[in-house]
Amino acid sequence: MKEQIIKNFKEIFGDGGEIRVFFAPGRVNLIGEHTDYNGGHVFPCALTIGTYGAVRLREDRVLRFYSGNFQENGILTGSLEDLECKGSGEWTRYVKAVIASFGEHGFITPVGFDFYCLGTIPNGSGLSSSASLEILVSKMLTVLFGFDVNMIDASIYSQYAENRYVGVNCGIMDQFAIAMGKKDSAIFLDTSDLKYEYVPVRLDGIRIVIGNTNKKRGLGDSKYNERRAECESALAQLQGICTVQALGELDESSFEAVSDAIKDPVILKRARHAVYENLRTVRAVSALNNNDIKAFGELMNQSHISLRDDYEVTGKELDTLVEAAWAQEGVLGSRMTGAGFGGCTVSLVKDECVDQFIENVGRLYKEKIGYAADFYVVDIGDGPQEL
Ligand code: GLA
């Protein structure tokens, strides 16, 4: 792949100079959805698909960009003098936002560069193509300019880039999962203090199958920020009667004891999801540690039901894919993954049933929705690296 990326780079930007190539993965979250901005737990893993980038430093302050995924845009240009990118729809805003965020944290990019990138993650599918690009750029900047930034800080700066410069109030999960990814392990992350643990995902005879609804969404135009605000409102109402810093601190009984303080039934449902999803995630990880994949799968199913009924972030495309998956032989669990409102599902499927699963779920989806879903049988990969 490296040679191919360098070849593509040269075709666009010409020969000469030192060209360096980097890779950052995408991610899939196995369980723990919409918990990361509520101080709860998440359980994502990095994928072997992701974003490749080739870069050559310049002597001036110009930035030139080309994406193999958006060839129709041709070469886009920018400058280190102007890194504000709110409102811009171009993919380059993620690159500029990370440069700007690093700068704000004291790591100033000294010269411009030419940058070619190619993603193997379907855009807008909920597998974090944007966080993958952000972490790719973070890795690139730290290596090229010798910044003393570890990958956890890089994930924090990238999340800040997205919050402050892109305008999406996302939590830390995606950037952290990608920056800290480890082959064949998922990351059990407590978002309240960023303590984490690698959990080997030993799925003997079971594959992780991602189903893409092909319903495009961007976090910016989704109800993501609205959900976040609803959780903040729930927390504020609870703080009127008890001491609690985040919904993720509550267990069932402490939540049920105070939940009457939340008067609006919709806000109450949102809070209930945040609290119970966090508890499900903790339970799912101990089930996995006990090699109880069946229990893990059941918790995945419950997660989807809660995201559908209480958090209301699924929609007919995701529900159709998941409900069709539940009806198939050899399926241990299936749920939406990522922000929701479209994007992807994740299912655990017995090896020998995967082909039939894809065929049947694909057919049922097309019959009901009118267009096809895509499926990827994925592997868990490492974090970002120079190739
Ligand atoms: C998006 C956000 C994450 C997280 C998920 C939902 O992927 O970027 O921070 O909130 O949605 O779990």
Side-chain angles (χ1 to χ4, degrees), residues 27 29 32-37 42 126 128 131 159 162 168-175 217 219 224 335-340:
R27 71 95 187 88
N29 188 21
E33 217 66 82
H34 290 279
T35 48
D36 66 344
Y37 49 84
V42 292
S128 284
Q159 181 202 12
E162 184 130 8
V168 174
N169 266 333
C170 65
I172 189 70
M173 172 172 73
D174 304 345
Q175 289 79 6
R217 44 142 281 268
L219 292 189
Y224 186 88
R335 58 181 289 275
M336 58 150 270
T337 184

Side-chain angles (χ1 to χ4, degrees), residues 84-375:
E84 276 297 334
C85 45
K86 251 190 187 156
S88 140
E90 283 167 8
W91 65 272
T92 58
R93 68 192 191 276
Y94 296 106
V95 184
K96 294 183 202 164
V98 171
I99 298 174
S101 173
F102 266 65
E104 267 196 67
H105 290 89
F107 299 98
I108 315 269
T109 295
V111 289
F113 51 78
D114 293 338
F115 178 61
Y116 169 89
C117 93
L118 183 69
T120 54
I121 309 167
N123 293 310
S125 61
L127 302 178
S128 284
S129 54
S130 46
S132 175
L133 177 58
E134 289 160 6
I135 296 299
L136 175 80
V137 174
S138 299
K139 180 74 183 176
M140 209 168 85
L141 297 181
T142 53
V143 172
L144 292 177
F145 303 121
F147 295 152
D148 183 16
V149 175
N150 64 40
M151 276 299 120
I152 294 185
D153 287 340
S155 71
I156 294 170
Y157 301 166
S158 296
Q159 181 202 12
Y160 179 83
E162 184 130 8
N163 294 165
R164 152 80 175 79
Y165 289 91
V166 180
V168 174
N169 266 333
C170 65
I172 189 70
M173 172 172 73
D174 304 345
Q175 289 79 6
F176 195 99
I178 290 169
M180 298 298 289
K182 185 171 164 185
K183 190 173 168 16
D184 294 332
S185 291
I187 306 175
F188 183 41
L189 171 67
D190 182 344
T191 62
S192 70
D193 55 10
L194 297 191
K195 290 214 175 86
Y196 67 99
E197 201 183 300
Y198 289 113
V199 180
V201 179
R202 286 179 301 267
L203 298 175
D204 285 339
I206 293 165
R207 301 303 311 259
I208 301 174
V209 183
I210 290 177
N212 186 351
T213 60
N214 284 321
K215 183 185 180 206
K216 290 277 182 286
R217 44 142 281 268
L219 292 189
D221 53 42
S222 73
K223 291 195 176 296
Y224 186 88
N225 286 352
E226 183 184 300
R227 287 293 176 281
R228 192 168 176 157
E230 287 167 339
C231 288
E232 279 158 15
S233 157
L235 180 65
Q237 292 177 55
L238 294 178
Q239 284 170 335
I241 60 154
C242 66
T243 314
V244 52
Q245 305 301 323
L247 295 175
E249 281 173 19
L250 301 169
D251 61 17
E252 273 115 343
S253 54
S254 53
F255 176 67
E256 297 305 339
V258 294
S259 63
D260 278 356
I262 305 173
K263 297 293 171 220
D264 179 333
V266 173
I267 304 285
L268 177 60
K269 287 205 290 183
R270 307 298 189 244
R272 191 162 60 208
H273 169 78
V275 170
Y276 281 83
E277 178 73 356
N278 178 45
L279 301 171
R280 264 191 294 276
T281 306
V282 174
R283 277 178 203 136
V285 172
S286 49
L288 194 62
N289 280 328
N290 293 331
N291 239 328
D292 190 351
I293 310 280
K294 192 163 170 284
F296 187 90
E298 273 157 19
L299 289 158
M300 288 175 76
N301 298 346
Q302 286 169 23
S303 163
H304 185 83
I305 292 168
S306 175
L307 289 156
R308 182 188 69 192
D309 299 343
D310 279 349
Y311 219 61
E312 296 181 281
V313 291
T314 57
K316 73 171 187 306
E317 295 82 4
L318 285 167
D319 289 337
T320 301
L321 263 193
V322 166
E323 282 156 25
W326 287 342
Q328 303 309 311
E329 203 183 311
V331 174
L332 289 117
S334 183
R335 58 181 289 275
M336 58 150 270
T337 184
F341 315 102
C344 285
T345 65
V346 56
S347 307
L348 300 183
V349 185
K350 285 193 181 146
D351 223 344
E352 66 274 17
C353 301
V354 168
D355 291 344
Q356 199 186 19
F357 170 89
I358 293 175
E359 197 188 313
N360 291 349
V361 177
R363 191 187 59 253
L364 290 165
Y365 184 79
K366 185 140 190 240
E367 273 167 21
K368 184 139 176 213
I369 302 297
Y371 54 83
D374 286 318
F375 296 90

